[in-house]
Amino acid sequence: MQSSNKPDRFLIYVVAYEAEQHLFDLFERIPFMLFNRDDVHFLVNDDASADNGALILKKWLVAHDIYNVTILKNRINQGYGGNQKIGFRAAIDDEYSCVILLHGDGQYAPELLPEFIETWRETRPDVILGSRMHSTRSARAGGMPWYKLVGNRILTRFQNWLTGWSLSEYHTGYRAYSTKFLQSVPFEINTNDFHFDTEILLQAAHVEASVQEINIPTFYGNEICRVQGFKYAWNVVTATIQYKMHQWGMLCSLKLRNLSTDRYRDKTQAEYSSHALALKLLKARHAQNVLDIGCGPGHVASQCEQQGMQVTGVDCSRPQSEVMSRFIFADLERDEIPVSLTDYDTMLMLDVIEHLAHPEEFLLALRNEHRADAGSNQMGNIENVASAHCNEVISDGYNEDEQNSLGTPQVLSDPPALPLLLLSTPNVAFAAVRLNLLFGRFNYAERGILDITHKRLFTRRTLLRMLEDCGYNVERVHAIGAPFSAVMPGRLGKWLGWMAGLLAKAWPALFAFQFMVECRPRPGVRESLKNALRVHEHPTHVSTPEFDVSHQSGRQDFFE
């Protein structure tokens, strides 16, 4: 919604091409109440026409002493979409509240301009569409040919099906946009062709913009239609399918990238998804204290809390409010996580490591740096480590005299157990990716395996090798099928998800969309050093942070 601090200002943008016969009549029909007003301005842009329409209109404006009209003429033809971009950019830069698109050929009734203005003032939608298809009888009475009426209906129904909207018409050229909406979408990279109108509506659908329709009359006169019907229909269908594929994460369109309000969707309720599986595993293992690394908005954490677990989330963006017990703001690429792993029985890294430039370094640091005393003294110093164990000895294998000579044996307690790690990441060797590569295609997407923000990609083999090299004992690997139910709600999505799960289990390397690994970090080098038995140390030896653990004479005397 627009800010109420400034008065509303409206730009009526007239696109014209070879409209010499129509511009004069168009302005004759515009309600005179809109002329010479401070809150309304007309911008006419002639798209490099060869006629004298702009000059004729200028004479008419001078004759009527009208000052709130500007006429431009492009030096190079920009196309229908390209011409719109110029007007929309002018509306944004000059801080208008709303821009109304009007065709210079008179096909759309300028008498309705006040209704567009009042509709925007009353409800302030992002988009207003003047629909001719509210009545088949009205459309036919206005001269719309049967083939155009039928084509309009078919395309509109198809687009409603894929966008989830219920508009009566997508293909009207009489429309208005709030400049706030225009600022939120990259309309300047849309096509310059006639399906620009479709692409900007698909952007509106992607950002969940508010749309309002008003009924307008249909009029087909002696204007020249420059739209090639079959080419236009093909472009509309292609653009709409690409929009849906982008939403499904099957490709990445720059026209839609980073516009979605739900980039990190809640997949906890999507059966057969990695998040749903993680919740099942947590419940089966009776997890109580969970460290959710890369928690995102907190969808998984919220479900864990509802099941009685306590969750500490870590991320560089704040989650939704009150979805977890504790949140730590940290950049996983740069910051150390100030926690003690032994405070948790389970760690989560769901769809995280693929976003890290150096996941191996992170996994090593997680295992080596965050010890049982991380919350209090971190490492302390090596003198404290030595003194804590200088009297501990192994009693097994020595007779009583040897034990007495060495002092009273102490039974070592096991070091605190490190938590289970549930880690999920996409499978770059998924069948669809392989097939695309076979045909020379490598399409990034806004989400999914080839999410454009992913920095590292793994197969099953490379994932397990990385975990082993970084010191993690793998206990179990789960193959997860494509999460159709997350993007296709309903019975079809559930059935496809079930089938995908069966294929993933039958041939994980090829059909697994993701892998979920249950693994446990082995104690790091520093932790092992800290918990090592100090069997012997020379009495005069003074421990320092750089102490020598290879006091060979003492070791030889002891074993001799």
Side-chain angles (χ1 to χ4, degrees):
M1 184 176 291
Q2 299 289 114
S3 171
S4 59
N5 296 331
K6 295 181 180 180
D8 295 333
R9 298 174 63 236
F10 298 87
L11 179 67
I12 299 174
Y13 185 57
V14 183
V15 291
Y17 179 69
E18 305 291 354
E20 181 178 8
Q21 300 179 5
H22 304 288
L23 273 176
F24 176 87
D25 292 336
L26 178 73
F27 272 77
E28 284 281 356
R29 294 168 57 193
I30 292 175
F32 205 79
M33 58 178 288
L34 297 179
F35 292 127
N36 295 344
R37 283 173 49 169
D38 293 336
D39 63 336
V40 175
H41 194 86
F42 291 82
L43 176 60
V44 182
N45 198 356
D46 186 313
D47 197 15
S49 301
D51 62 19
N52 294 314
L55 293 177
I56 293 174
L57 178 60
K58 177 183 176 180
K59 291 179 181 180
W60 184 89
L61 295 173
V62 171
H64 290 79
D65 195 25
I66 295 173
Y67 61 78
N68 67 333
V69 179
T70 300
I71 303 175
L72 302 177
K73 187 163 186 172
N74 295 328
R75 295 178 184 271
I76 300 174
N77 184 272
Q78 303 295 315
Y80 174 70
N83 206 13
Q84 287 191 56
K85 297 174 187 179
I86 295 172
F88 296 163
R89 175 48 56 194
I92 294 171
D93 292 348
D94 293 340
E95 299 183 347
Y96 285 92
S97 308
C98 177
V99 55
I100 304 172
L101 179 67
L102 183 63
H103 286 201
D105 59 7
Q107 183 179 356
Y108 297 100
E111 294 86 355
L112 295 180
L113 286 172
E115 185 173 348
F116 274 84
I117 291 174
E118 289 307 311
T119 298
W120 192 88
R121 278 180 167 159
E122 289 175 3
T123 59
R124 297 180 180 270
D126 296 309
V127 182
I128 303 174
L129 298 177
S131 173
R132 302 164 297 177
M133 304 301 292
H134 54 91
S135 166
T136 300
R137 179 179 298 178
S138 173
R140 289 290 296 147
M144 180 179 288
W146 272 110
Y147 73 90
K148 287 193 174 184
L149 189 149
V150 172
N152 195 319
R153 292 288 193 196
I154 292 173
L155 289 175
T156 293
R157 180 168 295 185
F158 172 73
Q159 291 176 278
N160 278 333
W161 176 52
L162 291 187
T163 62
W165 279 353
S166 55
L167 300 180
S168 62
E169 182 182 10
Y170 281 77
H171 309 286
T172 174
Y174 206 1
R175 49 183 65 193
Y177 303 102
S178 74
T179 52
K180 183 178 180 181
F181 160 72
L182 291 176
Q183 286 178 298
S184 71
V185 298
F187 66 86
E188 291 184 1
I189 63 174
N190 289 357
T191 181
N192 289 341
D193 211 336
F194 288 100
H195 61 293
F196 174 91
D197 287 345
T198 283
E199 291 188 341
I200 199 168
L201 280 185
L202 294 173
Q203 289 172 328
H206 198 56
V207 300
E208 300 180 356
S210 57
V211 181
Q212 187 164 338
E213 289 185 295
I214 59 176
N215 296 335
I216 63 171
T218 303
F219 174 75
Y220 277 81
N222 62 349
E223 70 278 355
I224 299 175
C225 179
R226 305 180 188 279
V227 181
Q228 299 179 32
F230 287 106
K231 178 185 176 183
Y232 173 77
W234 173 260
N235 288 335
V236 167
V237 170
T238 301
T240 308
I241 291 174
Q242 288 175 345
Y243 154 83
K244 198 61 182 180
M245 292 177 69
H246 179 98
Q247 286 204 320
W248 286 343
M250 298 176 67
L251 58 79
C252 183
S253 170
L254 290 177
K255 298 169 186 177
L256 303 172
R257 180 185 167 196
N258 296 331
L259 300 183
S260 177
T261 57
D262 63 342
R263 174 175 174 77
Y264 298 104
R265 296 182 176 181
D266 184 359
K267 296 185 290 186
T268 58
Q269 304 303 317
E271 199 169 1
Y272 312 116
S273 71
S274 58
H275 290 189
L277 175 60
L279 289 171
K280 291 179 182 178
L281 294 175
L282 289 170
K283 185 176 181 180
R285 289 181 173 268
H286 307 289
Q288 296 297 319
N289 295 296
V290 179
L291 178 64
D292 190 354
I293 302 172
C295 60
H299 298 311
V300 174
S302 177
Q303 292 295 319
C304 290
E305 293 276 347
Q306 292 179 28
Q307 296 180 23
M309 307 175 205
Q310 290 188 330
V311 181
T312 297
V314 181
D315 211 317
C316 60
S317 60
R318 298 196 177 278
Q320 301 170 7
S321 60
E322 299 181 357
V323 295
M324 58 189 70
S325 300
R326 181 188 177 200
F327 174 72
I328 298 171
F329 187 88
D331 185 340
L332 302 184
E333 295 273 25
R334 295 178 297 180
D335 302 331
E336 182 176 324
I337 305 175
V339 298
S340 167
L341 295 191
T342 54
D343 291 339
Y344 306 93
D345 51 57
T346 312
M347 295 185 294
L348 299 177
M349 286 186 66
L350 304 180
D351 311 329
V352 172
I353 61 168
E354 60 270 17
H355 293 277
L356 303 179
H358 305 286
E360 296 89 350
E361 293 181 8
F362 179 84
L363 290 171
L364 282 169
L366 185 68
R367 169 176 162 250
N368 289 328
E369 299 296 335
H370 307 299
R371 298 160 307 283
D373 58 351
S376 56
N377 192 28
Q378 296 293 330
M379 180 68 178
N381 59 52
I382 204 69
E383 293 185 40
N384 294 333
V385 173
S387 62
H389 297 285
C390 64
N391 292 322
E392 295 177 349
V393 297
I394 301 176
S395 59
D396 294 343
Y398 300 98
N399 59 38
E400 186 175 347
D401 292 336
E402 289 173 326
Q403 291 181 14
N404 290 337
S405 65
L406 292 171
T408 304
Q410 298 183 14
V411 178
L412 286 177
S413 59
D414 293 332
L418 293 177
L420 178 75
L421 172 62
L422 300 182
L423 181 148
S424 68
T425 195
N427 172 27
V428 72
F430 181 58
V433 179
R434 297 192 193 199
L435 187 61
N436 276 319
L437 284 173
L438 182 63
F439 291 101
R441 294 192 296 265
F442 191 81
N443 297 320
Y444 283 103
E446 192 170 35
R447 59 173 61 88
I449 295 174
L450 296 181
D451 185 323
I452 200 165
T453 64
H454 288 177
K455 299 177 182 178
R456 293 288 298 274
L457 298 169
F458 301 90
T459 65
R460 184 180 188 275
R461 182 175 298 176
T462 57
L463 173 64
L464 298 183
R465 182 187 302 132
M466 179 186 68
L467 290 171
E468 175 63 27
D469 290 345
C470 292
Y472 290 75
N473 292 326
V474 175
E475 298 181 1
R476 191 175 179 185
V477 180
H478 303 268
I480 302 168
F484 286 101
S485 56
V487 293
M488 296 181 184
R491 189 173 299 175
L492 176 61
K494 186 175 181 179
W495 183 82
L496 289 174
W498 177 75
M499 286 295 299
L502 287 182
L503 289 171
K505 290 180 175 62
W507 194 345
L510 183 62
F511 292 112
F513 188 82
Q514 285 181 296
F515 292 111
M516 171 82 74
V517 180
E518 297 181 64
C519 58
R520 199 177 296 273
R522 296 191 292 271
V525 174
R526 287 176 177 160
E527 188 69 15
S528 298
L529 176 62
K530 172 184 172 182
N531 289 290
L533 284 174
R534 191 58 60 97
V535 177
H536 174 75
E537 188 170 46
H538 195 280
T540 60
H541 176 71
V542 179
S543 298
T544 65
E546 292 81 20
F547 75 103
D548 182 6
V549 296
S550 60
H551 198 67
Q552 295 298 327
S553 61
R555 289 176 58 85
Q556 184 176 1
D557 293 344
F558 179 84
F559 287 103
E560 290 178 351

